Amino acid sequence: MPDELSWRPHSSHWGAFAAARDGSLVRVRPHPGDPQPSPLLGNVAGASQRTARVGRPLVRRGWLERGPGPDPARGGAEFVAVSWAEALDLVAGELSRVRAAHGPGAIFGGSYGWGSAGRFHHAQSQVHRFLNGLGGYVRSVETYSLGASRILLRHVLGSDELLEQPTTWPVLAEHTELFVCFGGMPAKNTSVNAGGASRHQVPDRLRAAHRRGARFILFSPISDDLADDLDPVWQPVRPGTDTAVLLALAYVLVRDGSYDRDFVARYCAGFDEFHRYLTGRTDGQPKTPSWAEEISGVPASFLTGLAHEMASHRTLVSVSWSLQRARHGEQPVWAGVALAALLGQIGLPGGGFGHGYGAVAGAGAGRLEFPLPTLPQGSNPVPEFIPVARIADMLLHPGTSYDFDGHRLTYPDIRLVYWCGGNPFHHHQDLTRLRRAFARPDTVIVHEPFRTATARHADIVLPSTTTLERNDLGAAGNDDLLIAMRQVLAPFGQSRNDYDIFTDLAERLGFGPEFSQGRDETGWLRALYEQWRGRHAGWAPAFEDFWAAGELPLRADTPRRTFLAGYRADPDRAPLRTPSGRIELYSATIAGYGYDDCPGHPSWLEPEEWHGSAKAARLPLVLVANNPASRLHSQLDHGEYSRSTKVRGREPARMHPDDAAGRGLRDGDVIRIFNDRGSCLAGLVVTDRVMPGVVQLSTGAWFDPVPTADGTLMCVHGNPNVLTRDIGTSRLTQGCAGQLTLVDVARFDGPLPPVRAFDEWPEGAP
Ligand SMILES: Nc1nc2c(c(=O)[nH]1)N[C@H]1C(S)=C(S)[C@@H](COP(=O)(O)OP(=O)(O)OC[C@H]3O[C@@H](n4cnc5c(=O)[nH]c(N)nc54)[C@H](O)[C@@H]3O)O[C@H]1N2
Ligand SMILES: Nc1nc2c(c(=O)[nH]1)N[C@H]1C(S)=C(S)[C@@H](COP(=O)(O)OP(=O)(O)OC[C@H]3O[C@@H](n4cnc5c(=O)[nH]c(N)nc54)[C@H](O)[C@@H]3O)O[C@H]1N2
Ligand SMILES: [Mo]
C-alpha cells in the first residue's frame, strides 16, 4: 500500500515532489501545494536506477594503453572498468601533468549544463570550486539560454534586470489587456525552473488574465506556443523574421503619429537614428507592413490593425528567449524594446516589454529578497574565458582571435576538458564538428550518472549519483520553498557524489582540507543552512527542525512588481546605467564596434538560413529545434514520459499536412531530416499546428550517431543538433544560434537502424 511507504521530500528543476521506495521501484508524487505539477515528474521513477546508468569508473582503452593525446577515436571506443583508486590516481596524475607542462590555462572547466537541483551537490559549483582550489581553469561566460539578450540588454537598458526582476505575474494577470507574444508562452516550458518550482503558477495566471478579458496574439510558426484555453489569435510567422514584423509595427505607430512622443523624449535616447532607419532615410527602404509581409508572411493589414490595437490598450510586447537563440538574435529583442518604448507603457503595470514569460516557471514569479544558501566557489586566477557556445571553435582553433562585445579575444590552447553537470553532445550545435573538436585535447574527463553521449566522448568517466541518492537543500531564487531533499535510494553501483569524488581528488592533489573543510555531506548541509540563517534568515528554525519538517516557506506569495516603475517615476533620480542614462534605441557603443552583424539600432538583417535565402531552393524547410515538452533537455530521455512521446522509438518531428503530402509522407513514418552538416531520423507527426514550410524537432533525444558515406554523422534517434549550425548569433554576443536551420525531409526507406542510445556500451575487461 503506497501510504505505508516512507515518503521523503525531494525536488527537481521541474518541481518539488516526494519519493519513496516500494520494493525495487521508486514511487513519486507531486508536492501537494503545486496547482499544476509538471508531467516531467513521470520521467523520474523508472529512470533513476539501472537503465543507462554508469555503474563503475571507466577509462577508454586507447587512452589507458597509449596515454593522453589527441584521438579521433573518442566517442566510439571501448571502455575498461577500473577501480575508484585507479581512476582517481589517473585523473589526479593527468591534472598534475597538464598543469605542470602547460599551466592552468590549458584546462577547460567551463562545463556548462543544468545538472540537477540542489544547492550543495550542484555539479557546476562543485567542479568550479574544485578547479579553483587546484589553481584555476579556463571558464565560460553567459548561457545557451540567453546568450544574445543578456549582453544586448546591458547596452540597451543598462543592465539585465529585465531578466531577474521583470513585472510579476499578479500584475500581468490584473492589468494587461493585450498580450502580443512573439514565440508564445509555451505551457511546456513553464514546467521548468533552475533550482526548482514548488508552485507552478503560470497557467493559472494566464487563465486569470483571459477570464478578465485580456486578449492574446501569438506570432509563432507553431500554434501550441500558447495554450488553447486562452483563445489566442495565431498568426504564423516565418521563423527568424520577427524583427521585420516588430519594425513594421513600430513604423505604423510613427507613420500614424500614434506613438508616445512624451515617453520617447523623456525616457529614450537615439530616437532620431532609429526613426531614420524605420522611415527608410538611411537605406531607402521604409519598414512598412507590406515590406514586412514580403519577409515574414504576416499580412500587412493584420499588422496595421494590430499596431493601432496595441496603442489603444495596455499592451505587453513579449519576446520569447527562443527568438534570440538564432542568427542576429539581438535584433528581435532590441526591436521589441523599441516597439514597447514607442507604445510608451514601459514602467506601467501590465504594459511594456517582457522577455521569457513562458520560458521558465520563475520568470515573473519575483525574486526572493534575500540570497539562498550557496556553496562558496573560491576564485579563479586564470583570466581566459570563452563565450559558452564557442566551445568547438576554441578546441579546433587555439590561438585564433575573434570578436566579443567590443573585445578582440584569442582562443586558449586547451589540453584537458573537465565536464561535470552538462551534456554538450546534447546541447551544442553541429555535432559532427563537435566530435572533431573533442578529438583535439589530450584528455577529456566527465562525471555523469548516465551513459550520455558526452560520457561516451570521454577518456575517463566517473559515475555520479543522482539526486535521489543523496541529501541536499532544494531552492530557487524565485520560488516559495526551501526543501529538505532527502535521500531515497542507495547509490547505484559504485557511483559516488561529485563532492566525494572531488574531495578524494583534492586529497591526492594536496588541497584536501581546504576543499572539504573537514565536512561530510551532512556537515556541509548544516553549515550552509546555519550560515545562511545567521546572515539572512534569523526567522528560520534550526537545521535539525527544518530537516525534520521537510520544507521551509520562504515567502507568503508572489510579490507585485512592475519593471522600471522607479525609472518611469523619476528618470533623473533613477537613471538607467546606459551611457545616456536612457533606454537606448540607438547605441553609440554598439555602433562604434562596427560589427556588420549587429549595427547601432534594431535592424532587419537577413539570416544566412531562412525561407528567403538562396539555399532554401535546395533545403526548403526551416527546422525549429526548440526545447522539449517531454523532458528537461536530454535529462531522463529514457524515462517513461519521454519514451511515451516517441514515434517508433524516435523523437517526434512535426510538420504540416501539405509538406508531408508533397513528399509522400504519412503520420508515423520514420523520416530522415538532412542538410549539408548531417542528418537524423525522427518519427513523423503530421499536424496543422505547425505552419507550412517548417519542421519542428525538439532537442534532447540522446545522440545516437552512425557514420555516413559523406563523412557526416546521422543520429538514428533524432537529435537536431547534428543539423544545426555552429556559429555565434553575432560578433557582439557570440550566443547560441541553434534554434533555426534549413533542412529537407524524406522518408527513410530500408532497414531501420536500431536505437542504441540507452544500451550498455562495449566494455572490456581490464
Ligand atoms: N538546437 C538547439 N540546441 C539547444 C537549445 C535549443 O533551443 N536549440 N537550447 C539550449 C539551451 S537553452 C540549453 S540551457 C542547453 C541545455 O544543455 P544541458 O544543460 O547540457 O542539458 P542537460 O540534458 O540538462 O544536461 C545535464 C547533464 O547533467 C547530468 N547530471 C544531472 N545531475 C548530475 C549530477 O548531479 N552530477 C553530474 N556530474 N551530472 C549530472 C545529466 O545526466 C545530463 O547529462 O541546450 C541548448 N541547446
Ligand atoms: N519542458 C521543458 N521546459 C523547458 C526546457 C526544457 O528542456 N524542457 N528548457 C528550459 C530552458 S534551459 C530554457 S533556456 C527555456 C527556453 O525557452 P524558449 O527559448 O522560449 O523555448 P523554446 O521551446 O526553445 O522556444 C519557444 C517557442 O519559440 C518558437 N519559435 C522558434 N523560432 C521562432 C521564430 O523565429 N519566431 C517566432 N515567433 N517563434 C519562434 C517555437 O515554436 C518554440 O516552441 O525553456 C526552459 N523550459
Ligand atoms: Mo536554457
Side-chain angles (χ1 to χ4, degrees):
M1 290 302 289
D3 284 345
E4 288 160 17
L5 300 174
S6 156
W7 292 96
R8 304 201 169 160
H10 214 76
S11 191
S12 66
H13 293 305
W14 47 93
F17 62 95
R21 273 186 51 193
D22 183 1
S24 62
L25 300 175
V26 179
R27 307 251 177 226
V28 167
R29 67 182 186 203
H31 192 280
D34 191 342
Q36 187 114 7
S38 168
L40 270 54
L41 284 174
N43 285 329
V44 174
S48 48
Q49 295 268 288
R50 280 181 297 279
T51 325
R53 288 294 296 273
V54 188
R56 290 179 298 177
L58 301 174
V59 183
R60 189 168 62 83
R61 183 181 287 285
W63 192 93
L64 199 57
E65 287 172 357
R66 290 188 299 278
D71 194 342
R74 234 169 242 134
E78 186 183 280
F79 284 94
V80 177
V82 299
S83 70
W84 268 109
E86 210 176 328
L88 295 172
D89 286 345
L90 289 171
V91 171
E94 181 58 2
L95 283 166
S96 301
R97 182 193 72 84
V98 170
R99 278 175 51 79
H102 310 285
I107 298 175
F108 181 68
S111 189
Y112 178 83
W114 271 65
S116 293
R119 305 289 302 171
F120 171 62
H121 289 293
H122 184 239
Q124 296 293 297
S125 308
Q126 289 290 347
V127 66
H128 295 156
R129 176 181 167 81
F130 169 74
L131 290 173
N132 282 337
L134 185 61
Y137 62 98
V138 173
R139 68 194 198 281
S140 61
V141 299
E142 304 300 332
T143 60
Y144 280 73
S145 314
L146 287 160
S149 41
R150 243 181 231 282
I151 291 172
L152 178 87
L153 289 169
R154 287 179 202 138
H155 287 286
V156 172
L157 297 177
S159 78
D160 52 14
E161 195 193 321
L162 172 70
L163 297 162
E164 307 302 329
Q165 294 273 42
T167 299
T168 53
W169 278 111
V171 178
L172 299 177
E174 196 170 310
H175 294 279
T176 308
E177 295 169 339
L178 187 60
F179 288 80
V180 181
C181 304
F182 292 84
M185 297 183 183
K188 69 179 178 68
N189 286 358
T190 58
S191 263
V192 161
N193 197 43
S198 59
R199 183 167 56 93
H200 290 91
Q201 60 171 307
V202 178
D204 286 343
R205 299 290 188 185
L206 286 169
R207 277 194 286 269
H210 177 253
R211 268 199 310 277
R212 180 179 43 77
R215 286 179 301 132
F216 292 83
I217 311 292
L218 168 63
F219 285 100
S220 175
I222 295 166
S223 73
D224 44 24
D225 283 334
L226 262 183
D228 291 341
D229 60 8
L230 304 174
D231 301 317
V233 174
W234 177 35
Q235 177 52 62
V237 55
R238 285 191 192 114
T241 68
D242 301 76
T243 304
V245 172
L246 287 153
L247 290 171
L249 291 168
Y251 175 89
V252 173
L253 297 179
V254 167
R255 181 193 64 194
D256 299 351
S258 44
Y259 75 100
D260 187 332
R261 278 166 210 276
D262 295 340
F263 185 90
V264 168
R266 186 137 192 246
Y267 300 101
C268 301
F271 177 71
D272 290 346
E273 285 87 347
F274 182 51
H275 184 259
R276 276 203 292 277
Y277 172 74
L278 267 190
T279 51
R281 272 193 287 149
T282 42
D283 62 355
Q285 174 61 64
K287 309 304 173 299
T288 62
S290 358
W291 166 82
E293 173 172 351
E294 192 74 20
I295 294 168
S296 65
V298 178
S301 55
F302 183 82
L303 291 178
T304 307
L306 179 62
H308 296 148
E309 290 276 306
M310 291 171 84
S312 55
H313 289 87
R314 182 59 56 85
T315 299
L316 181 76
V317 178
S318 170
V319 170
S320 66
W321 293 352
S322 54
L323 266 64
Q324 54 86 60
R325 207 173 302 112
R327 278 290 276 167
H328 312 134
E330 299 81 8
Q331 303 310 320
V333 179
W334 203 351
V337 172
L339 174 61
L342 296 191
L343 289 167
Q345 300 180 20
I346 294 175
L348 293 180
F353 182 68
H355 187 37
Y357 294 118
V360 285
R367 286 208 77 75
L368 295 169
E369 280 159 18
F370 42 80
L372 293 169
T374 302
L375 180 70
Q377 293 184 18
S379 58
N380 184 354
V382 174
E384 279 84 21
F385 66 87
I386 55 163
V388 66
R390 300 278 54 80
I391 169 83
D393 286 351
M394 172 186 72
L395 295 175
L396 288 167
H397 304 298
T400 307
S401 52
Y402 64 101
D403 289 304
F404 179 58
D405 197 13
H407 301 278
R408 194 83 190 144
L409 302 175
T410 303
Y411 289 120
D413 190 357
I414 295 300
R415 301 305 176 102
L416 187 151
V417 171
Y418 208 123
W419 220 289
C420 175
N423 189 358
F425 280 88
H426 143 64
H427 71 230
H428 195 58
Q429 287 54 69
D430 197 345
L431 293 175
T432 303
R433 183 170 189 260
L434 187 68
R435 175 175 276 193
R436 278 207 309 281
F438 264 65
R440 296 293 292 265
D442 291 350
T443 298
V444 177
I445 300 166
V446 172
H447 291 204
E448 253 295 341
F450 296 101
R451 292 173 185 261
T452 63
T454 299
R456 195 85 173 86
H457 285 78
D459 299 306
I460 304 176
V461 186
L462 302 180
S464 306
T465 51
T466 65
T467 66
L468 289 178
E469 296 161 3
R470 60 200 186 207
N471 297 293
D472 212 332
L473 306 172
N478 42 28
D479 190 45
D480 306 344
L481 291 182
L482 179 69
I483 293 168
M485 294 170 65
R486 285 173 55 196
Q487 184 174 345
V488 180
L489 299 168
F492 172 75
Q494 295 177 20
S495 64
R496 302 183 66 200
N497 297 340
D498 295 308
Y499 171 70
D500 295 322
I501 300 171
F502 286 130
T503 301
D504 281 2
L505 286 171
E507 203 61 57
R508 279 170 170 73
L509 290 159
F511 64 105
E514 291 85 342
F515 182 79
S516 72
Q517 314 256 306
R519 294 182 186 125
D520 60 5
E521 178 189 72
T522 316
W524 270 104
L525 298 186
R526 183 179 290 110
L528 292 176
Y529 180 93
E530 288 298 351
Q531 279 164 16
W532 169 77
R533 189 165 76 107
R535 285 190 205 135
H536 307 290
W539 44 268
F543 178 73
E544 272 66 26
D545 297 328
F546 153 69
W547 196 254
E551 65 184 46
L552 173 67
L554 297 176
R555 66 180 179 196
D557 206 351
T558 302
R560 303 177 67 89
R561 188 179 189 281
T562 295
F563 178 63
L564 291 190
Y567 175 62
R568 188 175 184 109
D570 196 340
D572 296 322
R573 279 194 52 201
L576 301 182
R577 292 194 296 277
T578 54
S580 60
R582 300 289 183 258
I583 298 169
E584 301 223 334
L585 305 181
Y586 169 84
S587 162
T589 308
I590 295 178
Y593 295 158
Y595 299 150
D596 53 356
D597 53 6
C598 191
H601 52 71
S603 307
W604 161 248
L605 305 170
E606 263 191 47
E608 295 82 357
E609 299 197 10
W610 70 297
H611 283 124
S613 45
K615 225 178 169 181
R618 197 163 49 82
L619 298 169
L621 300 173
V622 173
L623 172 77
V624 173
N626 59 353
N627 283 273
S630 59
R631 60 190 166 257
L632 173 62
H633 305 302
S634 69
Q635 294 195 39
L636 310 186
D637 185 29
H638 55 300
E640 205 175 311
Y641 181 59
S642 181
R643 285 212 208 204
S644 74
T645 66
K646 308 257 172 181
V647 177
R648 296 171 71 189
R650 329 273 147 169
E651 190 63 16
R654 299 194 295 170
M655 64 196 284
H656 190 271
D658 294 351
D659 290 323
R663 289 167 178 76
L665 302 173
R666 265 189 271 176
D667 196 79
D669 282 348
V670 171
I671 54 173
R672 193 173 69 93
I673 310 178
F674 58 93
N675 63 18
D676 302 334
R677 286 179 287 270
S679 55
C680 69
L681 302 186
L684 181 63
V685 175
V686 177
T687 169
D688 58 11
R689 282 189 168 277
V690 175
M691 72 184 274
V694 166
V695 50
Q696 180 253 323
L697 174 67
S698 292
T699 55
W702 281 19
F703 188 44
D704 194 347
V706 295
T708 65
D710 66 4
T712 63
L713 297 173
M714 176 170 86
C715 174
V716 303
H717 190 196
N719 184 325
N721 274 325
V722 78
L723 299 156
T724 52
R725 185 163 175 230
D726 187 5
I727 185 171
T729 44
S730 78
R731 291 195 280 161
L732 182 76
T733 67
Q734 297 288 0
C736 163
Q739 182 92 185
L740 304 175
T741 311
L742 281 178
V743 297
D744 203 358
V745 167
R747 186 174 31 245
F748 184 78
D749 292 316
L752 262 185
V755 175
R756 292 168 313 178
F758 307 133
D759 292 359
E760 300 291 293
W761 297 341
E763 221 175 84

